[in-house]
Amino acid sequence: MKHRIVVLGAGYAGAFAAGNLARRLSPADTEITVVNAEPDFVERMRLHQLASGQDLTFRKLADVFAGTGVRLRLARVTGVDPERRTVAVTGEGSDGELAYDTLLYALGSSVAHHDVPGVAEYAFDVTGRSSALRLRERLAGLGEGGTVLVVGEGLTGIETATELAESRPDLSVALAARGEPGAWLSPKARRHLSRAFDRLGVTVHAHTGIEAVEPTRAIAADGTSIPADVTVWSAGFAVHPLAASSGLEVAGTGQIVVDRTMRSVSHPDVYAAGDCAYAIGENGRPLPMSCASAGVTNMQATAAIIARLTGSEVPVTGLKYYGNHISLGRRDAIFQMVDGDVRSKSWYLGGRTAARLKSGILRTAGWGIAHPTFGVPKRRHRLATAPDRAGVRALA
């Protein structure tokens, strides 16, 4: 029987990984299944554009994986049993169970509410397509002079605030930050960011933690009331508790604890990539939840899976964070390089050139997803042993 590889999630990490596995492993020995709740590949890095009213084209996963040998199961994952090596799913009209020999867990993350009162009931976010569309619909109903408050000084908050301000100059857009927005940037880049906020009319409430969200306002820690017809919550990400409830070893964040090869430290048949992996980078710190981390962790995970199944030496791929690429609307951006300790270098790139560079990176990533088996070698790797489950499992 073929070795069953199941990939959970078809975001940046899962979609790339599935394509890489299909490209390099022989279909005579392996069976690859991708489980995803949505029928399309969602470019998460562009959801703030969708929320602002821009029209985006989403690629159908059925088209992406057509002809690759990858099986697509449109379903939501409801449970993982690493002892029985099964995944429980619901969708396509029925519940079911998938058995695996190797599991790649890449279910990503969602918005972190941090137990702040009112966030779940009244706030919007851009961490998923459905939530971005919900925000888009709400914003479309706001008339001139409507107020929007974006909470969070990270990349998502900055990109969302500037995108909304540029797309909807009739609205009053503000950003609430616990510290200084872009505090990690170099001094020159911070000044560039400040000028962008001024140019777009974004009011910045620095050193302002939000302690509660209400239908028409947000309440700061000092009791200040900030008017907000719409509050957009972008104060961090959180992973689903599914991994923790399955018995996999997780960190305090709920992320799956993995070794240097992205293999679960508690269950050797399970690998993790993307936001749900608690991976230590080359600087000794956990990788941040980001698209960049999804890229390096999925490359390491797939390389390790392929090597172990084919009896090869497991390669070590780079787990380095190179910098931040922050869009500031459609015509401006910041590209900030960092050193090995994730400290911003003095040099940065800004303006239209940086915006074109980020657009090019997004197009390249999208093209890679749309062509998952591009450059398929004439001879793909066969498994090191006959593809029976006991033999393959012994390779672990």
Side-chain angles (χ1 to χ4, degrees), residues 272-288:
D275 287 356
C276 56
Y278 188 80
I280 304 301
E282 294 178 9
N283 59 6
R285 303 175 187 174
L287 290 175

Side-chain angles (χ1 to χ4, degrees), residues 281-285 319-321 338-343 345:
E282 294 178 9
N283 59 6
R285 303 175 187 174
L319 296 179
K320 184 179 291 186
Y321 197 68
V338 300
D339 62 19
D341 292 321
V342 200
R343 292 177 302 203
K345 296 182 178 180

Side-chain angles (χ1 to χ4, degrees), residues 113-137:
H113 292 165
H114 300 301
D115 297 322
V116 174
V119 171
E121 295 84 359
Y122 306 119
F124 296 78
D125 67 83
V126 293
T127 58
R129 180 167 63 171
S130 60
S131 58
L133 287 172
R134 176 172 166 262
L135 172 58
R136 177 189 179 114
E137 181 179 3

